[in-house]
Amino acid sequence: MESKIWLSSPHMSGKEQSYINNAFETNWIAPLGPNVNGFESDIQNYLKEDSYVAALSSGTAAIHIGLILLEVGQGDEVICQTKTFSASANPIVYQGATPIFIDSERDTWNMCPEQLEIAIKDRIDKGKKPKAIIAVHLYGMPYNVEEIHRIANSYNIPVLEDSAEALGSTYKSVKCGTFGDIAVLSFNGNKIITTSGGGAIVTKNVELKEKAVFLATQARDKAVEYLHSSIGYNYRLSNVLAGIGRGQMEVLDSRVEARRQNFNTYKELLKNIEELQFFDEPEGCFSNRWLSCLLTSSETMRESIRLALEKVNIETRPLWKPMHQQPIFKDAPKYLNGISDDLFEKGLCLPSGSNLTENEINRVTSAIKTYFRA
């Protein structure tokens, strides 16, 4: 058996070690410290657009804090893209609110503007105006920013931009992670860059950032004694892990370039297989191609290809199973057009790491060609 080809493994540059060593040499091991401050500044300088960043323990923590900043609470309703990972939706429930799931559009696979407006009008008619909208840049592909935000603004509903998969992506040359009233990033082990585990919340002003940091450090009031007048959370990123992030930020652009090259290579090598359709970029969208995705002709074909690659030690995954199909969310309100279900049935994610070798990509494409006898 040949060595395992992973879907999206961490890719260290070697630059991380100096920041980690510095944390140990200066004894900045606990949360907070120079690496945390530096990592936040690195991200802010990369995103621009007057962004303010707080480094947290995960992207999920960032969504949770973001919902708190948007004053989402018990009994509220929050609109959420159904085609996403569960971490986009779970924090809604943490706050005692109800997720309202919205289906996808074909062009971006992200939230459908038409279904979004239908849902908002219907919820208002039912006497419950949504408190926030969670819009996701799926697999690094920007959502329809102009339309989603036009609708959100017309109903005065804030947008929490889930950019967990989209660091390095742009919409009309503006970085993803800067469009929402609040945005989140993830640095999980499989993301475009990683801190092992980690995330960040991105805000529009320094006061919101400071409130996020306050909540994420157990909501300690300014006092000599341990004084708390708010519920807090232990969500800050450690100084050691932030050091990994600083080294990763130095190579972010090359990581995006490598993942985009993976996608282009797959598309070129498999272009003659009519049963496969690759996920192209709509006009104005620049995807980091966090994962290289394609559509097959049927659920049976998708699963057969997945199993064929698994037999030769190649990891692939179906596209995210929509949230409205998840047992835990079976009773949640949903506004569907059938697109996310179709994408789940036919979609497959190929190995996409920035550390993939030419030989590994050839192994993947050869295995697929063998399946099709191409």
Side-chain angles (χ1 to χ4, degrees):
M1 179 68 71
E2 292 193 76
S3 61
K4 179 88 168 186
I5 299 178
W6 299 98
L7 185 70
S8 181
S9 62
H11 187 187
M12 296 294 102
S13 68
K15 299 175 183 292
E16 300 84 5
Q17 196 65 53
S18 63
Y19 293 104
I20 296 168
N21 289 346
N22 182 260
F24 276 83
E25 289 165 2
T26 58
N27 205 34
W28 282 105
I29 304 301
L32 308 181
N35 281 337
V36 174
N37 297 335
F39 188 37
E40 291 173 345
S41 294
D42 293 342
I43 301 168
Q44 287 170 181
N45 292 335
Y46 181 81
L47 294 176
K48 302 187 184 338
E49 307 300 326
D50 295 323
S51 300
Y52 295 89
V53 173
L56 303 180
S57 57
S58 68
T60 311
I63 294 174
H64 189 195
I65 294 292
L67 291 174
I68 295 170
L69 294 178
L70 294 176
E71 300 181 351
V72 171
Q74 188 75 35
D76 287 332
E77 293 185 349
V78 176
I79 286 175
C80 183
Q81 188 164 309
T82 191
K83 190 68 173 171
T84 187
F85 181 57
S86 63
S88 300
N90 286 339
I92 299 171
V93 181
Y94 299 169
Q95 287 303 102
T98 299
I100 310 295
F101 293 117
I102 308 297
D103 219 319
S104 301
E105 61 172 3
R106 283 286 177 194
D107 285 352
T108 66
W109 297 1
N110 291 310
M111 185 178 287
C112 173
E114 181 179 339
Q115 293 298 317
L116 171 62
E117 189 152 29
I118 288 171
I120 292 172
K121 288 179 178 179
D122 189 51
R123 303 322 292 177
I124 291 174
D125 288 344
K126 287 179 166 62
K128 201 78 172 179
K129 179 182 174 181
K131 197 67 176 286
I133 297 167
I134 298 177
V136 184
H137 302 296
L138 194 70
Y139 300 120
M141 186 66 73
Y143 61 76
N144 190 334
V145 172
E146 286 187 354
E147 276 299 290
I148 296 298
H149 287 264
R150 179 190 65 77
I151 294 167
N153 291 337
S154 68
Y155 292 94
N156 195 31
I157 302 174
V159 174
L160 196 162
E161 177 191 358
D162 185 344
S163 196
E165 301 170 4
L167 184 61
S169 299
T170 64
Y171 179 83
K172 296 191 174 180
S173 300
V174 179
K175 294 283 198 309
C176 291
T178 65
F179 297 109
D181 296 87
I182 289 171
V184 304
L185 305 172
S186 173
F187 309 112
N188 192 34
N190 62 0
K191 293 301 190 291
I192 195 87
I193 62 168
T194 184
T195 56
S196 176
I201 188 165
V202 186
T203 67
K204 296 289 190 182
N205 60 68
V206 69
E207 290 80 15
L208 267 183
K209 172 190 169 173
E210 289 172 350
K211 186 172 182 180
V213 169
F214 169 74
L215 292 169
T217 48
Q218 301 288 21
R220 284 182 57 189
D221 295 331
K222 292 182 178 179
V224 173
E225 70 274 24
Y226 290 98
L227 183 66
H228 304 271
S229 55
S230 305
I231 294 295
Y233 307 87
N234 186 17
Y235 280 171
R236 278 294 251 166
L237 187 67
S238 88
N239 194 61
V240 176
L241 297 187
I244 299 174
R246 296 211 70 185
Q248 290 272 284
M249 283 299 295
E250 292 189 31
V251 295
L252 173 56
D253 288 340
S254 67
R255 299 299 188 247
V256 173
E257 182 181 351
R259 290 195 184 235
R260 285 180 61 83
Q261 184 58 51
N262 289 342
F263 176 86
N264 292 333
T265 301
Y266 282 133
K267 187 176 179 181
E268 176 62 25
L269 294 178
L270 300 172
K271 65 182 179 182
N272 293 325
I273 301 177
E274 294 180 359
E275 294 88 344
L276 302 181
Q277 176 187 346
F278 281 87
F279 182 24
D280 289 330
E281 292 165 319
E283 184 177 354
C285 292
F286 176 90
S287 173
N288 65 10
R289 297 294 186 187
W290 172 55
L291 294 184
S292 291
C293 304
L294 55 78
L295 295 179
T296 64
S297 296
S298 67
E299 184 173 9
T300 300
M301 178 180 289
R302 181 263 285 167
E303 188 61 6
S304 295
I305 295 171
R306 188 189 70 80
L307 292 173
L309 269 63
E310 184 177 79
K311 286 181 179 178
V312 292
N313 220 17
I314 297 171
E315 182 185 25
T316 61
R317 293 275 182 170
L319 302 185
W320 298 127
K321 187 168 188 172
M323 291 300 99
H324 71 267
Q325 289 193 32
Q326 302 291 346
I328 192 65
F329 294 125
K330 63 183 175 62
D331 297 324
K334 45 194 172 289
Y335 296 81
L336 307 178
N337 56 21
I339 292 176
S340 64
D341 290 334
D342 185 61
L343 293 172
F344 172 64
E345 289 174 1
K346 299 177 181 177
L348 190 68
C349 303
L350 300 180
S352 305
S354 52
N355 52 1
L356 277 180
T357 65
E358 182 180 355
N359 177 63
E360 287 173 327
I361 289 182
N362 286 336
R363 274 181 58 195
V364 176
T365 55
S366 294
I368 294 173
K369 288 178 180 179
T370 296
Y371 171 85
F372 285 102
R373 299 178 182 175

PDB file of all heavy atoms in Angstrom, residues 288-315:
ATOM      1  N   ASN A 288      -9.547  30.972  -2.750  1.00  0.00           N
ATOM      2  CA  ASN A 288      -8.278  30.393  -2.317  1.00  0.00           C
ATOM      3  C   ASN A 288      -8.199  28.899  -2.627  1.00  0.00           C
ATOM      4  O   ASN A 288      -7.171  28.274  -2.433  1.00  0.00           O
ATOM      5  CB  ASN A 288      -8.045  30.632  -0.819  1.00  0.00           C
ATOM      6  CG  ASN A 288      -9.050  29.922   0.079  1.00  0.00           C
ATOM      7  OD1 ASN A 288      -9.836  29.084  -0.354  1.00  0.00           O
ATOM      8  ND2 ASN A 288      -9.036  30.273   1.362  1.00  0.00           N
ATOM      9  N   ARG A 289      -9.329  28.329  -3.113  1.00  0.00           N
ATOM     10  CA  ARG A 289      -9.416  26.895  -3.434  1.00  0.00           C
ATOM     11  C   ARG A 289      -8.961  26.056  -2.248  1.00  0.00           C
ATOM     12  O   ARG A 289      -8.191  25.099  -2.402  1.00  0.00           O
ATOM     13  CB  ARG A 289      -8.594  26.557  -4.678  1.00  0.00           C
ATOM     14  CG  ARG A 289      -9.084  27.241  -5.946  1.00  0.00           C
ATOM     15  CD  ARG A 289     -10.447  26.764  -6.362  1.00  0.00           C
ATOM     16  NE  ARG A 289     -10.862  27.323  -7.659  1.00  0.00           N
ATOM     17  CZ  ARG A 289     -12.067  27.168  -8.183  1.00  0.00           C
ATOM     18  NH1 ARG A 289     -12.996  26.521  -7.505  1.00  0.00           N
ATOM     19  NH2 ARG A 289     -12.358  27.687  -9.351  1.00  0.00           N
ATOM     20  N   TRP A 290      -9.491  26.421  -1.077  1.00  0.00           N
ATOM     21  CA  TRP A 290      -9.144  25.646   0.120  1.00  0.00           C
ATOM     22  C   TRP A 290      -9.298  24.157  -0.150  1.00  0.00           C
ATOM     23  O   TRP A 290      -8.404  23.365   0.157  1.00  0.00           O
ATOM     24  CB  TRP A 290     -10.026  26.074   1.295  1.00  0.00           C
ATOM     25  CG  TRP A 290      -9.867  25.194   2.489  1.00  0.00           C
ATOM     26  CD1 TRP A 290      -8.695  24.895   3.136  1.00  0.00           C
ATOM     27  CD2 TRP A 290     -10.898  24.458   3.165  1.00  0.00           C
ATOM     28  NE1 TRP A 290      -8.941  24.024   4.177  1.00  0.00           N
ATOM     29  CE2 TRP A 290     -10.275  23.740   4.213  1.00  0.00           C
ATOM     30  CE3 TRP A 290     -12.274  24.349   2.985  1.00  0.00           C
ATOM     31  CZ2 TRP A 290     -10.997  22.931   5.079  1.00  0.00           C
ATOM     32  CZ3 TRP A 290     -12.993  23.538   3.855  1.00  0.00           C
ATOM     33  CH2 TRP A 290     -12.349  22.837   4.883  1.00  0.00           C
ATOM     34  N   LEU A 291     -10.431  23.772  -0.715  1.00  0.00           N
ATOM     35  CA  LEU A 291     -10.591  22.407  -1.191  1.00  0.00           C
ATOM     36  C   LEU A 291     -10.971  22.419  -2.662  1.00  0.00           C
ATOM     37  O   LEU A 291     -11.785  23.248  -3.088  1.00  0.00           O
ATOM     38  CB  LEU A 291     -11.669  21.653  -0.396  1.00  0.00           C
ATOM     39  CG  LEU A 291     -11.368  21.377   1.087  1.00  0.00           C
ATOM     40  CD1 LEU A 291     -12.484  20.537   1.700  1.00  0.00           C
ATOM     41  CD2 LEU A 291     -10.025  20.693   1.284  1.00  0.00           C
ATOM     42  N   SER A 292     -10.382  21.504  -3.431  1.00  0.00           N
ATOM     43  CA  SER A 292     -10.739  21.329  -4.843  1.00  0.00           C
ATOM     44  C   SER A 292     -11.971  20.433  -4.909  1.00  0.00           C
ATOM     45  O   SER A 292     -11.929  19.277  -4.486  1.00  0.00           O
ATOM     46  CB  SER A 292      -9.587  20.686  -5.616  1.00  0.00           C
ATOM     47  OG  SER A 292      -8.500  21.570  -5.737  1.00  0.00           O
ATOM     48  N   CYS A 293     -13.063  20.979  -5.445  1.00  0.00           N
ATOM     49  CA  CYS A 293     -14.344  20.269  -5.447  1.00  0.00           C
ATOM     50  C   CYS A 293     -14.812  20.013  -6.869  1.00  0.00           C
ATOM     51  O   CYS A 293     -14.576  20.822  -7.770  1.00  0.00           O
ATOM     52  CB  CYS A 293     -15.404  21.088  -4.726  1.00  0.00           C
ATOM     53  SG  CYS A 293     -14.951  21.533  -3.034  1.00  0.00           S
ATOM     54  N   LEU A 294     -15.511  18.908  -7.047  1.00  0.00           N
ATOM     55  CA  LEU A 294     -16.117  18.604  -8.338  1.00  0.00           C
ATOM     56  C   LEU A 294     -17.471  17.960  -8.112  1.00  0.00           C
ATOM     57  O   LEU A 294     -17.794  17.505  -7.013  1.00  0.00           O
ATOM     58  CB  LEU A 294     -15.206  17.700  -9.180  1.00  0.00           C
ATOM     59  CG  LEU A 294     -14.727  16.365  -8.604  1.00  0.00           C
ATOM     60  CD1 LEU A 294     -15.814  15.298  -8.667  1.00  0.00           C
ATOM     61  CD2 LEU A 294     -13.500  15.878  -9.372  1.00  0.00           C
ATOM     62  N   LEU A 295     -18.271  17.940  -9.172  1.00  0.00           N
ATOM     63  CA  LEU A 295     -19.561  17.273  -9.151  1.00  0.00           C
ATOM     64  C   LEU A 295     -19.517  16.069 -10.082  1.00  0.00           C
ATOM     65  O   LEU A 295     -18.975  16.140 -11.182  1.00  0.00           O
ATOM     66  CB  LEU A 295     -20.678  18.219  -9.588  1.00  0.00           C
ATOM     67  CG  LEU A 295     -20.961  19.425  -8.690  1.00  0.00           C
ATOM     68  CD1 LEU A 295     -22.083  20.259  -9.280  1.00  0.00           C
ATOM     69  CD2 LEU A 295     -21.309  18.987  -7.272  1.00  0.00           C
ATOM     70  N   THR A 296     -20.086  14.965  -9.629  1.00  0.00           N
ATOM     71  CA  THR A 296     -20.238  13.767 -10.440  1.00  0.00           C
ATOM     72  C   THR A 296     -21.659  13.743 -11.005  1.00  0.00           C
ATOM     73  O   THR A 296     -22.416  14.710 -10.840  1.00  0.00           O
ATOM     74  CB  THR A 296     -19.978  12.517  -9.592  1.00  0.00           C
ATOM     75  OG1 THR A 296     -20.984  12.430  -8.565  1.00  0.00           O
ATOM     76  CG2 THR A 296     -18.606  12.585  -8.932  1.00  0.00           C
ATOM     77  N   SER A 297     -22.019  12.649 -11.631  1.00  0.00           N
ATOM     78  CA  SER A 297     -23.346  12.561 -12.255  1.00  0.00           C
ATOM     79  C   SER A 297     -24.436  12.085 -11.301  1.00  0.00           C
ATOM     80  O   SER A 297     -25.625  12.275 -11.573  1.00  0.00           O
ATOM     81  CB  SER A 297     -23.298  11.618 -13.459  1.00  0.00           C
ATOM     82  OG  SER A 297     -22.445  12.132 -14.455  1.00  0.00           O
ATOM     83  N   SER A 298     -24.047  11.463 -10.187  1.00  0.00           N
ATOM     84  CA  SER A 298     -25.052  10.913  -9.279  1.00  0.00           C
ATOM     85  C   SER A 298     -24.412  10.607  -7.931  1.00  0.00           C
ATOM     86  O   SER A 298     -23.181  10.558  -7.801  1.00  0.00           O
ATOM     87  CB  SER A 298     -25.647   9.628  -9.853  1.00  0.00           C
ATOM     88  OG  SER A 298     -24.667   8.608  -9.889  1.00  0.00           O
ATOM     89  N   GLU A 299     -25.257  10.381  -6.925  1.00  0.00           N
ATOM     90  CA  GLU A 299     -24.753   9.998  -5.599  1.00  0.00           C
ATOM     91  C   GLU A 299     -24.046   8.649  -5.660  1.00  0.00           C
ATOM     92  O   GLU A 299     -23.019   8.444  -5.004  1.00  0.00           O
ATOM     93  CB  GLU A 299     -25.899   9.943  -4.599  1.00  0.00           C
ATOM     94  CG  GLU A 299     -25.443   9.654  -3.171  1.00  0.00           C
ATOM     95  CD  GLU A 299     -26.563   9.757  -2.158  1.00  0.00           C
ATOM     96  OE1 GLU A 299     -27.733   9.880  -2.574  1.00  0.00           O
ATOM     97  OE2 GLU A 299     -26.267   9.726  -0.955  1.00  0.00           O
ATOM     98  N   THR A 300     -24.581   7.740  -6.474  1.00  0.00           N
ATOM     99  CA  THR A 300     -23.954   6.428  -6.621  1.00  0.00           C
ATOM    100  C   THR A 300     -22.547   6.552  -7.181  1.00  0.00           C
ATOM    101  O   THR A 300     -21.605   5.921  -6.688  1.00  0.00           O
ATOM    102  CB  THR A 300     -24.807   5.530  -7.533  1.00  0.00           C
ATOM    103  OG1 THR A 300     -26.100   5.371  -6.957  1.00  0.00           O
ATOM    104  CG2 THR A 300     -24.161   4.166  -7.714  1.00  0.00           C
ATOM    105  N   MET A 301     -22.379   7.395  -8.202  1.00  0.00           N
ATOM    106  CA  MET A 301     -21.056   7.592  -8.793  1.00  0.00           C
ATOM    107  C   MET A 301     -20.110   8.266  -7.809  1.00  0.00           C
ATOM    108  O   MET A 301     -18.954   7.851  -7.665  1.00  0.00           O
ATOM    109  CB  MET A 301     -21.158   8.431 -10.072  1.00  0.00           C
ATOM    110  CG  MET A 301     -19.809   8.708 -10.723  1.00  0.00           C
ATOM    111  SD  MET A 301     -19.938   9.683 -12.224  1.00  0.00           S
ATOM    112  CE  MET A 301     -20.672   8.473 -13.334  1.00  0.00           C
ATOM    113  N   ARG A 302     -20.614   9.282  -7.115  1.00  0.00           N
ATOM    114  CA  ARG A 302     -19.766   9.982  -6.134  1.00  0.00           C
ATOM    115  C   ARG A 302     -19.224   9.016  -5.100  1.00  0.00           C
ATOM    116  O   ARG A 302     -18.025   9.008  -4.792  1.00  0.00           O
ATOM    117  CB  ARG A 302     -20.561  11.100  -5.460  1.00  0.00           C
ATOM    118  CG  ARG A 302     -19.772  11.911  -4.432  1.00  0.00           C
ATOM    119  CD  ARG A 302     -20.012  11.429  -3.008  1.00  0.00           C
ATOM    120  NE  ARG A 302     -21.311  11.846  -2.535  1.00  0.00           N
ATOM    121  CZ  ARG A 302     -21.890  11.363  -1.442  1.00  0.00           C
ATOM    122  NH1 ARG A 302     -21.291  10.400  -0.734  1.00  0.00           N
ATOM    123  NH2 ARG A 302     -23.080  11.762  -1.051  1.00  0.00           N
ATOM    124  N   GLU A 303     -20.098   8.176  -4.569  1.00  0.00           N
ATOM    125  CA  GLU A 303     -19.676   7.257  -3.520  1.00  0.00           C
ATOM    126  C   GLU A 303     -18.769   6.163  -4.077  1.00  0.00           C
ATOM    127  O   GLU A 303     -17.814   5.735  -3.415  1.00  0.00           O
ATOM    128  CB  GLU A 303     -20.897   6.654  -2.835  1.00  0.00           C
ATOM    129  CG  GLU A 303     -20.584   5.836  -1.596  1.00  0.00           C
ATOM    130  CD  GLU A 303     -19.917   6.628  -0.476  1.00  0.00           C
ATOM    131  OE1 GLU A 303     -19.774   7.868  -0.584  1.00  0.00           O
ATOM    132  OE2 GLU A 303     -19.507   6.003   0.523  1.00  0.00           O
ATOM    133  N   SER A 304     -19.009   5.744  -5.300  1.00  0.00           N
ATOM    134  CA  SER A 304     -18.152   4.722  -5.915  1.00  0.00           C
ATOM    135  C   SER A 304     -16.740   5.251  -6.131  1.00  0.00           C
ATOM    136  O   SER A 304     -15.753   4.543  -5.901  1.00  0.00           O
ATOM    137  CB  SER A 304     -18.754   4.264  -7.246  1.00  0.00           C
ATOM    138  OG  SER A 304     -19.989   3.618  -7.052  1.00  0.00           O
ATOM    139  N   ILE A 305     -16.627   6.491  -6.577  1.00  0.00           N
ATOM    140  CA  ILE A 305     -15.309   7.109  -6.759  1.00  0.00           C
ATOM    141  C   ILE A 305     -14.608   7.246  -5.413  1.00  0.00           C
ATOM    142  O   ILE A 305     -13.422   6.927  -5.277  1.00  0.00           O
ATOM    143  CB  ILE A 305     -15.432   8.475  -7.442  1.00  0.00           C
ATOM    144  CG1 ILE A 305     -15.976   8.317  -8.867  1.00  0.00           C
ATOM    145  CG2 ILE A 305     -14.079   9.193  -7.478  1.00  0.00           C
ATOM    146  CD1 ILE A 305     -16.329   9.634  -9.528  1.00  0.00           C
ATOM    147  N   ARG A 306     -15.344   7.704  -4.406  1.00  0.00           N
ATOM    148  CA  ARG A 306     -14.751   7.876  -3.069  1.00  0.00           C
ATOM    149  C   ARG A 306     -14.182   6.560  -2.558  1.00  0.00           C
ATOM    150  O   ARG A 306     -13.057   6.504  -2.044  1.00  0.00           O
ATOM    151  CB  ARG A 306     -15.794   8.426  -2.094  1.00  0.00           C
ATOM    152  CG  ARG A 306     -15.215   8.808  -0.725  1.00  0.00           C
ATOM    153  CD  ARG A 306     -16.287   9.150   0.274  1.00  0.00           C
ATOM    154  NE  ARG A 306     -17.049   7.969   0.677  1.00  0.00           N
ATOM    155  CZ  ARG A 306     -16.627   7.080   1.578  1.00  0.00           C
ATOM    156  NH1 ARG A 306     -15.429   7.198   2.149  1.00  0.00           N
ATOM    157  NH2 ARG A 306     -17.393   6.046   1.897  1.00  0.00           N
ATOM    158  N   LEU A 307     -14.944   5.495  -2.699  1.00  0.00           N
ATOM    159  CA  LEU A 307     -14.503   4.192  -2.214  1.00  0.00           C
ATOM    160  C   LEU A 307     -13.341   3.649  -3.037  1.00  0.00           C
ATOM    161  O   LEU A 307     -12.429   3.007  -2.497  1.00  0.00           O
ATOM    162  CB  LEU A 307     -15.672   3.209  -2.234  1.00  0.00           C
ATOM    163  CG  LEU A 307     -16.790   3.489  -1.225  1.00  0.00           C
ATOM    164  CD1 LEU A 307     -17.972   2.562  -1.456  1.00  0.00           C
ATOM    165  CD2 LEU A 307     -16.275   3.373   0.203  1.00  0.00           C
ATOM    166  N   ALA A 308     -13.355   3.907  -4.343  1.00  0.00           N
ATOM    167  CA  ALA A 308     -12.250   3.465  -5.195  1.00  0.00           C
ATOM    168  C   ALA A 308     -10.947   4.138  -4.786  1.00  0.00           C
ATOM    169  O   ALA A 308      -9.882   3.500  -4.748  1.00  0.00           O
ATOM    170  CB  ALA A 308     -12.566   3.756  -6.662  1.00  0.00           C
ATOM    171  N   LEU A 309     -11.003   5.425  -4.453  1.00  0.00           N
ATOM    172  CA  LEU A 309      -9.805   6.142  -4.014  1.00  0.00           C
ATOM    173  C   LEU A 309      -9.390   5.716  -2.610  1.00  0.00           C
ATOM    174  O   LEU A 309      -8.195   5.630  -2.305  1.00  0.00           O
ATOM    175  CB  LEU A 309     -10.024   7.652  -4.096  1.00  0.00           C
ATOM    176  CG  LEU A 309      -9.619   8.290  -5.435  1.00  0.00           C
ATOM    177  CD1 LEU A 309     -10.443   7.764  -6.590  1.00  0.00           C
ATOM    178  CD2 LEU A 309      -9.705   9.814  -5.368  1.00  0.00           C
ATOM    179  N   GLU A 310     -10.373   5.435  -1.767  1.00  0.00           N
ATOM    180  CA  GLU A 310     -10.058   4.964  -0.416  1.00  0.00           C
ATOM    181  C   GLU A 310      -9.273   3.660  -0.472  1.00  0.00           C
ATOM    182  O   GLU A 310      -8.356   3.436   0.335  1.00  0.00           O
ATOM    183  CB  GLU A 310     -11.352   4.775   0.365  1.00  0.00           C
ATOM    184  CG  GLU A 310     -11.159   4.375   1.812  1.00  0.00           C
ATOM    185  CD  GLU A 310     -12.491   4.280   2.545  1.00  0.00           C
ATOM    186  OE1 GLU A 310     -13.186   3.262   2.370  1.00  0.00           O
ATOM    187  OE2 GLU A 310     -12.835   5.231   3.273  1.00  0.00           O
ATOM    188  N   LYS A 311      -9.579   2.790  -1.418  1.00  0.00           N
ATOM    189  CA  LYS A 311      -8.885   1.503  -1.544  1.00  0.00           C
ATOM    190  C   LYS A 311      -7.405   1.672  -1.880  1.00  0.00           C
ATOM    191  O   LYS A 311      -6.599   0.792  -1.575  1.00  0.00           O
ATOM    192  CB  LYS A 311      -9.567   0.653  -2.607  1.00  0.00           C
ATOM    193  CG  LYS A 311     -10.896   0.070  -2.170  1.00  0.00           C
ATOM    194  CD  LYS A 311     -11.514  -0.793  -3.264  1.00  0.00           C
ATOM    195  CE  LYS A 311     -12.841  -1.388  -2.813  1.00  0.00           C
ATOM    196  NZ  LYS A 311     -13.473  -2.191  -3.900  1.00  0.00           N
ATOM    197  N   VAL A 312      -7.057   2.785  -2.515  1.00  0.00           N
ATOM    198  CA  VAL A 312      -5.650   3.033  -2.849  1.00  0.00           C
ATOM    199  C   VAL A 312      -5.055   4.112  -1.937  1.00  0.00           C
ATOM    200  O   VAL A 312      -4.105   4.800  -2.279  1.00  0.00           O
ATOM    201  CB  VAL A 312      -5.472   3.392  -4.345  1.00  0.00           C
ATOM    202  CG1 VAL A 312      -5.770   2.192  -5.211  1.00  0.00           C
ATOM    203  CG2 VAL A 312      -6.335   4.584  -4.747  1.00  0.00           C
ATOM    204  N   ASN A 313      -5.667   4.251  -0.733  1.00  0.00           N
ATOM    205  CA  ASN A 313      -5.126   5.088   0.341  1.00  0.00           C
ATOM    206  C   ASN A 313      -5.158   6.582   0.005  1.00  0.00           C
ATOM    207  O   ASN A 313      -4.226   7.328   0.352  1.00  0.00           O
ATOM    208  CB  ASN A 313      -3.694   4.656   0.688  1.00  0.00           C
ATOM    209  CG  ASN A 313      -3.438   4.687   2.185  1.00  0.00           C
ATOM    210  OD1 ASN A 313      -4.385   4.724   2.980  1.00  0.00           O
ATOM    211  ND2 ASN A 313      -2.169   4.668   2.564  1.00  0.00           N
ATOM    212  N   ILE A 314      -6.225   7.019  -0.640  1.00  0.00           N
ATOM    213  CA  ILE A 314      -6.416   8.432  -0.964  1.00  0.00           C
ATOM    214  C   ILE A 314      -7.689   8.907  -0.276  1.00  0.00           C
ATOM    215  O   ILE A 314      -8.766   8.346  -0.499  1.00  0.00           O
ATOM    216  CB  ILE A 314      -6.530   8.648  -2.486  1.00  0.00           C
ATOM    217  CG1 ILE A 314      -5.229   8.240  -3.181  1.00  0.00           C
ATOM    218  CG2 ILE A 314      -6.862  10.106  -2.798  1.00  0.00           C
ATOM    219  CD1 ILE A 314      -5.329   8.211  -4.698  1.00  0.00           C
ATOM    220  N   GLU A 315      -7.563   9.919   0.565  1.00  0.00           N
ATOM    221  CA  GLU A 315      -8.718  10.445   1.290  1.00  0.00           C
ATOM    222  C   GLU A 315      -9.473  11.461   0.437  1.00  0.00           C
ATOM    223  O   GLU A 315      -8.900  12.423  -0.062  1.00  0.00           O
ATOM    224  CB  GLU A 315      -8.278  11.110   2.596  1.00  0.00           C
ATOM    225  CG  GLU A 315      -9.461  11.635   3.415  1.00  0.00           C
ATOM    226  CD  GLU A 315      -9.039  12.397   4.664  1.00  0.00           C
ATOM    227  OE1 GLU A 315      -7.916  12.938   4.690  1.00  0.00           O
ATOM    228  OE2 GLU A 315      -9.848  12.446   5.609  1.00  0.00           O
TER     229      GLU A 315
END
